[in-house]
Amino acid sequence: MCIRDRISEFKEKIEAAEEKAMQYKEKIAEIQRMKQALSKLNQEIKTKDNEINNVKLQLKQAKEKIVIITNNEEIAQQYTALAVKNQELKKELDYHLNYKQSLSATYDSINAKKYTSA
């Protein structure tokens, strides 16, 4: 094998190696693009997770408000029922008070007649 053949062989090997190196560079660049895309997707996932957590928090707060509103409505209903019961008791108390006053007046009138006739 002569020197020219060896040089030619080395040139072919160098060209093949350069071609492989170029392919590796392209693969590395492709991997870098994939890493960037993956990083962007991970960031989007984090953003969506944060949005989901915010929505969950808002939903929890809304449920708590609904419970408070429901409790307030129940309290209002109980207050109304107590107010009605209070009115009924006042009427009954007024009736008994009037009855007592009537009995007292009758008793006083009987006593007055007793003392005047004696």
Side-chain angles (χ1 to χ4, degrees):
M1 192 176 235
C2 73
I3 294 182
R4 285 185 186 196
D5 290 340
R6 295 251 315 156
I7 292 173
S8 197
E9 186 180 317
F10 281 130
K11 280 185 180 180
E12 287 175 11
K13 285 183 179 180
I14 290 172
E15 286 174 4
E18 285 176 343
E19 190 174 319
K20 273 191 172 181
M22 190 60 123
Q23 289 173 353
Y24 286 134
K25 283 182 182 178
E26 289 172 1
K27 289 284 184 190
I28 289 171
E30 184 179 345
I31 289 170
Q32 288 298 327
R33 286 190 299 274
M34 291 172 126
K35 282 182 178 180
Q36 289 173 348
L38 182 60
S39 177
K40 285 180 183 178
L41 288 174
N42 280 333
Q43 187 60 41
E44 287 179 25
I45 288 171
K46 285 180 184 177
T47 302
K48 293 297 179 187
D49 282 344
N50 287 338
E51 289 175 8
I52 288 170
N53 288 334
N54 286 338
V55 168
K56 283 181 180 178
L57 179 62
Q58 290 171 354
L59 188 59
K60 181 181 176 188
Q61 290 170 342
K63 285 180 181 178
E64 289 171 356
K65 286 180 182 177
I66 289 171
V67 167
I68 290 170
I69 289 169
T70 303
N71 288 343
N72 286 344
E73 289 172 354
E74 289 173 5
I75 290 169
Q77 289 172 351
Q78 290 173 357
Y79 179 80
T80 303
L82 286 173
V84 167
K85 184 71 174 176
N86 189 26
Q87 287 293 52
E88 290 171 1
L89 289 173
K90 275 185 178 181
K91 286 179 185 176
E92 192 174 327
L93 185 61
D94 286 344
Y95 171 79
H96 288 293
L97 185 61
N98 287 336
Y99 184 72
K100 180 184 173 195
Q101 288 173 346
S102 170
L103 283 178
S104 181
T106 304
Y107 179 76
D108 288 346
S109 119
I110 291 173
N111 277 340
K113 286 181 184 177
K114 214 183 208 184
Y115 289 120
T116 55
S117 48

